[in-house]
Amino acid sequence: MKTWGKPMNMSGDIRVKTDKKYKNLYNDLKNLIVGDMHELFFLCACLGYKANKVKDLGSNAEERFWSRTITPEEYACYYAMMLEKNNMDLSSIRDDKLVIAEMEKYANGGMEILLEDFLNEYCSADYKLDSTYSKELPMALLHFIRDKLEQ
Amino acid sequence: MILEKITMKDFRQFRGVQNIEFASETENDGKNVTVIFGENGRGKTGLFRAVVFALYGERRLSQDEEAEQKELYLVNSAAMEDTKTNGKPVEAFVELVFRHKDQKYTIKRSLLGVFDKDERIEQVGSVTLFHTNSDGNTLAFNDPDDIRKTINSILDKNVKEYFLFDGEKIQRLTMASIEQRKEVARGIKNLLNVDDLEKAINALQRLRKELNTELSKRATGEYAKIVHQLNQLDEKRNKLKAKLEEIEDEYAHLNVEKRKIDKLLEEYKEIFHLLKERKDAETQLKSEKEQTGNLLSEMRARTAKASQLLISSTIDFVFDSIDQKKQKGEIPSEIRKDLIERILDIDHKCICDRPVLPGTPEHSALIRWKNKVSDVELEDSALEIWRSLSSIRNYREDISGVVETLLQRYAVCRNNIEKLRKKIESINEQIGASERKDAADLEKTRENIEKKQIRIEAERMTTKSEFDSVESEYARLSEQRKILEREENIRNELSQRASLAEDTYKALQEVYKGFTEEIKNRIAIEANKYFVQLLDKEGLETLSKILVNADYSLQILDRWGKPFLANISAGQRQIMSISFIAALAKVASMDSILEMPLFMDTPFGKLSYEHRKNLIKRLPSYCAQWILLATDTEFRKQEASFLREGGRWGKFYVLRSEGPGVTIIQERDIEEAQSLLHENMGETNEYVWRYTG
């Protein structure tokens, strides 16, 4: 017997993972260019998806934040990405764990883009931010996003 | 005290051993004027310092208030440079020979200058005093304390500035302040030798208190009550007196602070508009910085929404796809998938009770329907996603607009900040030294000082009124006590002694008051005589007389008898002060000429031509010795001519520069003055023509 689920499941019990090497970066960028970790994750996922850059976390996966912090709009975007990727097969969004797992790969790829194309000026090789320049990062990030839109 | 000779070694600008012999009427030739002439920076004030240092061991002059101690070096700088190579300390000294009451004194003070690495250090060295009395016997003193006492008995340190002064200081005597009142009062008391009288009054006051305390213990009844009250009042009166003094000290201290600020403000006047401009720029900069901070916060809050723009095409595609399915009626399905599954797998009959069995056309038709429709929850999710994406699409334009606006506003702010920084930098360059940058706060500090002074003044008036009422109550009770003593025949020894002490105390106070009042009046009379002789024509038309107030402050009345001190010029103030000093000297010496030098450093700077002429012509006869340190702008051919005409000019020295920081003292014949000095220029010549023609 099937149970009736609620629309847009948006599961909050999932531990969202990122590459462990980005732990400091996630912590540093939180409050600096974004309000919370889920926003940075969303940015990276969008970047990765746009560039179709998927990178498996493999054994480097490390739990970063709870999925309950993801906003409905972000979830809607994740589902949209999954649907587009799977030719609008609605069953692709049935399981939020699979959706998040897929997004983790995009976010991982997206973080590489962010590092290569944006944070390299502000960040050392071991992913430490240079605080001297970090004050203006929100402005630089908007410029970066705007540039990406034009590509 | 009459100065005879000063010898200096490596002191200030005077390199090596050099000396000056002062004109001092030793041969009864009437010559009592010495002119030491030098351009600015040649060491006139250095010579003044040498006299003050020799007599009192003081390194600083009153005009040094603002200067940092470390900036003031007494040892010759050129000699100090040599120590860098030979490593030996420089011993500098000043030796001053003077006579006082027909006795000769030679005081010599030394100091050592060394370099500790790059830091220049000066250490006060030994002091010796040789005293040759009228019999020709010489005593030597080495104890600094003995020497201090001896010198103070000749010229009290507190009054030295009446006789050894710089041009600016003398003018301060006319400033109507508590500070000035104290200075003048102290000076007068010292000169008039009323110290002993004051000591006697203080001793009697102590005795009176002791006797009254003893009496209050022994007395009984009404008499005891009165004595007790008198003791209490006396205590209260003393406390109030001490409080008044404290208030006056504080007020005087604030005056000093205010003067320092005024001096700085005067210096900073030229940069005030720059300070205001800089303050405005700094306020704008602060506001722009706050705005950039706010803009960055807004940007941070919009990062997530801006990220959505990266997947706009995906959002559009999915939205359109779901929308099309909606249009086609595929979502939501016309027949729900769970209903078809129930008919096919559980009930095997339709809702109209018609059987639906595998292999039948009905069964096949339903299988086709089942494949077309999705899970109801997924369909609901798709609809929810469609609504969310619709909302995202709706504000997409807004987000793009906001991002653009934020970036533009930020760029404008950054540009403004850059401009303002450059402006502030440029203003700072114009303002110059960093210490001047704080000038803007000075006005505020001055305002606070004035507010505090108003408060203190009010407190002073209240305390004074309280003091006066205690005084009158004390007088009333004292009278009552005397009546009681008479009525009740209280004539024991203790009460008689207390009464006697009280009466003597009062009598001495009266004597003191009468004496100082008389002296004050005499000083005022003499000061007015000098003032009239020294004042120029214009001043005589405007000003009528100098008043010495009860608290020794000076006031001047205009021709209508109204107080006019605040309106007179700096030169007139100087003339008024010199008149006062001359009067003081005359009164202190019992109408003869006080045996004191007038050692003036650059006194003519603020004086008009006529004042200068009057002073030069008359001052030599007002004092026992006049030593004039003059610069080229105030002592020219005309001044020299007036001085020579008076017949009292005995010595003439010229301070000549010989390389950086080195001055040579050269004695010249006074006849040479005409060829050495400058002509009087411009409008002064007209004056010369009018008054000499």
Side-chain angles (χ1 to χ4, degrees):
Chain A
M1 190 67 187
K2 269 193 166 300
T3 52
W4 295 89
K6 57 182 178 180
M8 266 177 73
N9 196 23
M10 297 191 299
S11 171
D13 304 328
I14 305 163
R15 294 290 280 160
V16 184
K17 295 178 280 299
T18 69
D19 193 315
K20 60 185 169 194
K21 69 184 175 194
Y22 299 140
K23 181 183 177 182
N24 287 337
L25 206 50
Y26 262 84
N27 282 326
D28 287 349
L29 291 173
K30 188 181 105 171
N31 295 327
L32 195 60
I33 60 167
V34 290
D36 208 348
M37 286 190 186
H38 67 91
E39 292 180 2
L40 179 59
F41 181 84
F42 179 64
L43 167 69
C44 292
C46 292
L47 279 171
Y49 186 82
K50 183 177 166 60
N52 197 22
K53 186 166 186 175
V54 179
K55 194 164 185 215
D56 215 324
L57 290 168
S59 58
N60 289 329
E62 190 174 72
E63 291 174 350
R64 190 66 52 222
F65 62 94
W66 283 102
S67 62
R68 68 179 67 103
T69 57
I70 297 171
T71 66
E73 280 183 6
E74 286 166 8
Y75 249 125
C77 291
Y78 293 147
Y79 292 141
M81 286 187 257
M82 279 300 279
L83 287 171
E84 187 185 49
K85 190 187 169 229
N86 293 288
N87 299 318
M88 292 305 293
D89 179 3
L90 290 179
S91 63
S92 65
I93 59 167
R94 188 192 302 276
D95 187 347
D96 279 351
K97 275 190 183 168
L98 293 176
V99 173
I100 294 296
E102 200 60 26
M103 291 304 122
E104 284 169 350
K105 292 176 199 165
Y106 281 122
N108 206 23
M111 181 56 99
E112 279 190 358
I113 297 170
L114 195 68
L115 280 164
E116 283 163 20
D117 298 354
F118 173 60
L119 288 175
N120 60 341
E121 289 176 38
Y122 308 94
C123 197
S124 61
D126 57 345
Y127 310 111
K128 281 268 174 197
L129 269 186
D130 182 346
S131 58
T132 323
Y133 304 105
S134 55
K135 198 186 140 204
E136 288 195 321
L137 270 181
M139 181 270 301
L141 181 64
L142 287 189
H143 273 291
F144 168 76
I145 292 173
R146 200 175 60 173
D147 292 347
K148 282 284 168 201
L149 292 174
E150 286 166 9
Q151 284 172 10
Chain B
M1 173 194 278
I2 296 295
L3 303 181
E4 292 192 338
K5 185 179 177 183
I6 188 165
T7 305
M8 295 167 289
K9 179 189 170 281
D10 291 327
F11 188 87
R12 296 290 291 171
Q13 290 96 325
F14 305 103
R15 180 85 196 265
V17 179
Q18 302 193 57
N19 60 62
I20 289 175
E21 286 183 21
F22 301 104
S24 58
E25 284 191 276
T26 41
E27 291 153 16
N28 291 324
D29 54 0
K31 308 276 189 198
N32 66 345
V33 180
T34 304
V35 175
I36 298 155
F37 175 82
E39 289 167 13
N40 289 334
R42 293 287 176 274
K44 293 187 297 299
T45 304
L47 202 53
F48 183 46
R49 283 184 201 283
V51 173
V52 173
F53 176 73
L55 290 172
Y56 303 101
E58 287 181 2
R59 294 174 55 87
R60 304 169 65 76
L61 301 173
S62 56
Q63 71 236 46
D64 296 334
E65 282 171 49
E66 318 299 334
E68 289 282 331
Q69 176 76 37
K70 61 181 178 185
E71 289 169 3
L72 183 71
Y73 297 115
L74 297 185
V75 181
N76 182 264
S77 295
M80 284 299 292
E81 280 306 307
D82 290 350
T83 67
K84 279 187 176 173
T85 48
N86 64 27
K88 291 179 184 171
V90 178
E91 190 198 12
F93 71 77
V94 181
E95 185 184 84
L96 188 68
V97 181
F98 61 92
R99 63 173 197 272
H100 184 66
K101 293 182 179 169
D102 293 329
Q103 300 192 25
K104 189 177 173 183
Y105 297 82
T106 301
I107 186 164
K108 183 178 175 182
R109 243 179 242 275
S110 65
L111 71 164
L112 288 176
V114 282
F115 271 107
D116 181 13
K117 292 176 186 163
D118 281 339
E119 197 188 351
R120 197 169 154 174
I121 297 170
E122 288 187 357
Q123 221 172 9
V124 174
S126 60
V127 54
T128 48
L129 174 72
F130 294 98
H131 173 203
T132 310
N133 63 24
S134 42
D135 301 332
N137 296 323
T138 300
L139 292 169
F141 298 88
N142 292 309
D143 181 358
D145 209 36
D146 288 344
I147 294 171
R148 184 178 55 78
K149 282 178 190 161
T150 307
I151 296 295
N152 273 337
S153 71
I154 297 167
L155 178 56
D156 192 314
K157 191 175 160 183
N158 290 323
V159 292
K160 70 173 188 294
E161 282 167 357
Y162 291 102
F163 303 100
L164 315 170
F165 58 79
D166 60 86
E168 195 182 332
K169 167 76 182 170
I170 195 67
Q171 191 192 324
R172 272 171 52 187
L173 283 178
T174 59
M175 306 289 185
S177 65
I178 291 170
E179 184 198 0
Q180 176 234 347
R181 291 205 287 271
K182 286 196 152 190
E183 204 171 339
V184 175
R186 201 170 52 230
I188 291 174
K189 283 174 193 168
N190 273 290
L191 270 180
L192 303 177
N193 294 320
V194 292
D195 291 22
D196 291 343
L197 196 55
E198 275 188 346
K199 277 180 201 160
I201 290 171
N202 289 338
L204 268 168
Q205 197 179 8
R206 282 197 299 277
L207 177 66
R208 195 187 55 158
K209 193 179 170 187
E210 281 167 22
L211 290 170
N212 282 335
T213 311
E214 192 58 33
L215 200 59
S216 71
K217 283 181 194 163
R218 294 194 197 172
T220 54
E222 182 67 11
Y223 185 71
K225 200 176 151 190
I226 289 175
V227 170
H228 182 67
Q229 279 178 336
L230 277 169
N231 285 347
Q232 279 182 330
L233 282 173
D234 193 37
E235 207 160 301
K236 197 173 176 185
R237 184 171 57 179
N238 289 338
K239 277 183 186 164
L240 287 168
K241 198 176 170 189
K243 191 180 171 186
L244 271 173
E245 276 172 12
E246 251 174 51
I247 289 171
E248 295 197 347
D249 280 347
E250 196 181 348
Y251 197 93
H253 171 72
L254 289 172
N255 260 351
V256 171
E257 289 297 308
K258 204 160 80 174
R259 263 209 312 277
K260 277 185 195 170
I261 290 172
D262 284 346
K263 202 171 168 186
L264 287 172
L265 283 174
E266 188 61 35
E267 198 181 309
Y268 299 155
K269 208 186 250 174
E270 75 214 58
I271 58 164
F272 264 145
H273 70 282
L274 290 172
L275 290 171
K276 191 184 174 304
E277 233 176 275
R278 190 185 60 187
K279 199 175 175 185
D280 292 345
E282 280 170 348
T283 312
Q284 279 178 44
L285 182 66
K286 195 179 166 197
S287 147
E288 291 286 349
K289 278 183 178 173
E290 274 173 14
Q291 214 174 325
T292 54
N294 293 338
L295 286 171
L296 287 169
S297 297
E298 279 190 53
M299 287 174 184
R300 194 163 49 239
R302 280 170 172 80
T303 305
K305 290 218 186 299
S307 305
Q308 291 170 1
L309 298 174
L310 292 166
I311 53 162
S312 291
S313 60
T314 302
I315 290 168
D316 289 344
F317 171 78
V318 174
F319 174 82
D320 289 342
S321 299
I322 298 173
D323 200 50
Q324 276 172 20
K325 282 180 187 277
K326 269 183 71 195
Q327 301 285 336
K328 287 179 187 169
E330 290 173 10
I331 296 177
S333 308
E334 288 170 48
I335 305 167
R336 296 179 66 114
K337 191 178 181 182
D338 55 336
L339 178 64
I340 299 170
E341 282 175 348
R342 186 173 170 168
I343 292 168
L344 290 173
D345 304 333
I346 299 169
D347 295 346
H348 304 291
K349 59 180 180 184
C350 192
I351 50 172
C352 56
D353 233 13
R354 188 173 172 175
V356 179
L357 296 168
T360 62
E362 292 82 358
H363 191 271
S364 303
L366 280 173
I367 291 287
R368 279 198 303 275
W369 270 106
K370 185 189 164 187
N371 291 337
K372 268 169 71 182
V373 297
S374 309
D375 284 346
V376 65
E377 60 197 83
L378 289 176
E379 282 183 359
D380 286 347
S381 289
L383 287 175
E384 190 66 26
I385 290 166
W386 177 84
R387 274 192 287 274
S388 289
L389 296 180
S390 168
S391 158
I392 290 170
R393 277 159 54 92
N394 284 341
Y395 61 66
R396 183 187 294 155
E397 288 301 312
D398 292 345
I399 292 286
S400 300
V402 167
V403 167
E404 274 310 309
T405 311
L406 285 173
L407 290 173
Q408 277 173 18
R409 281 173 61 198
Y410 192 81
V412 170
C413 273
R414 279 281 301 272
N415 197 23
N416 289 345
I417 286 172
E418 201 49 41
K419 278 184 190 166
L420 288 165
R421 277 194 179 135
K422 278 184 182 160
K423 189 176 179 182
I424 291 167
E425 214 170 279
S426 148
I427 294 172
N428 282 343
E429 272 173 25
Q430 289 177 66
I431 289 172
S434 60
E435 64 267 24
R436 296 169 76 191
K437 290 178 186 169
D438 300 326
D441 301 330
L442 288 175
E443 288 278 12
K444 202 167 171 61
T445 314
R446 196 184 189 284
E447 265 177 42
N448 288 340
I449 288 178
E450 282 192 331
K451 277 182 197 160
K452 206 169 173 186
Q453 281 191 315
I454 291 169
R455 207 178 60 238
I456 289 174
E457 188 62 39
E459 198 184 346
R460 194 178 78 87
M461 283 169 77
T462 318
T463 313
K464 180 76 175 59
S465 140
E466 206 180 336
F467 179 80
D468 289 345
S469 78
V470 169
E471 279 268 271
S472 94
E473 179 63 8
Y474 190 90
R476 190 186 67 77
L477 279 175
S478 294
E479 199 50 43
Q480 210 176 327
R481 173 177 147 178
K482 278 189 176 169
I483 294 167
L484 261 180
E485 279 173 356
R486 276 199 302 273
E487 283 175 356
E488 298 182 13
N489 202 19
I490 300 167
R491 297 197 63 78
N492 63 47
E493 194 212 336
L494 191 59
S495 69
Q496 279 179 13
R497 278 174 62 198
S499 260
L500 188 62
E502 184 73 40
D503 291 345
T504 315
Y505 174 72
K506 276 187 193 165
L508 264 184
Q509 270 198 323
E510 284 302 312
V511 168
Y512 182 80
K513 204 174 152 190
F515 180 64
T516 49
E517 181 69 14
E518 191 192 327
I519 291 291
K520 188 195 77 178
N521 289 338
R522 282 183 58 204
I523 290 171
I525 291 165
E526 294 300 331
N528 275 301
K529 280 185 194 167
Y530 292 127
F531 191 55
V532 168
Q533 287 168 5
L534 295 175
L535 202 61
D536 62 10
K537 201 177 158 193
E538 192 196 338
L540 287 171
E541 282 170 4
T542 323
L543 307 170
S544 66
K545 71 173 190 179
I546 298 175
L547 284 185
V548 180
N549 292 326
D551 57 1
Y552 297 112
S553 62
L554 298 182
Q555 179 54 275
I556 194 155
L557 303 181
D558 66 8
R559 56 189 296 195
W560 296 279
K562 302 278 183 222
F564 204 65
L565 185 63
N567 305 296
I568 65 172
S569 69
Q572 287 169 331
R573 279 177 191 273
Q574 212 167 323
I575 291 293
M576 186 176 165
S577 301
I578 289 170
S579 303
F580 172 75
I581 289 170
L584 200 58
K586 189 171 182 186
V587 173
S589 63
M590 306 293 179
D591 284 340
S592 68
I593 291 174
L594 188 69
E595 197 188 48
M596 282 292 167
L598 272 184
F599 195 104
M600 295 185 179
D601 183 10
T602 327
F604 297 151
K606 287 177 175 155
L607 296 185
S608 66
Y609 176 78
E610 200 181 348
H611 280 152
R612 206 177 289 189
K613 184 186 76 174
N614 292 345
L615 207 61
I616 289 171
K617 285 193 162 185
R618 298 185 189 279
L619 207 58
S621 60
Y622 295 170
C623 60
Q625 184 180 37
W626 188 23
I627 297 159
L628 175 62
L629 305 176
T631 187
D632 54 341
T633 52
E634 59 180 346
F635 194 76
R636 298 178 181 222
K637 284 187 175 176
Q638 193 67 66
E639 283 80 14
S641 170
F642 290 142
L643 196 58
R644 212 173 49 249
E645 281 165 25
R648 286 176 168 263
W649 188 5
K651 292 277 186 182
F652 181 42
Y653 289 88
V654 174
L655 305 181
R656 193 171 55 76
S657 168
E658 201 166 83
V662 178
T663 292
I664 298 295
I665 303 170
Q666 288 185 324
E667 185 176 3
R668 308 297 282 256
D669 195 293
I670 57 171
E671 298 303 325
E672 285 182 86
Q674 287 300 324
S675 60
L676 287 168
L677 300 172
H678 296 289
E679 292 281 355
N680 294 57
M681 305 293 285
E683 58 183 49
T684 316
N685 271 338
E686 288 176 32
Y687 231 79
V688 173
W689 179 81
R690 272 200 284 149
Y691 284 87
T692 56

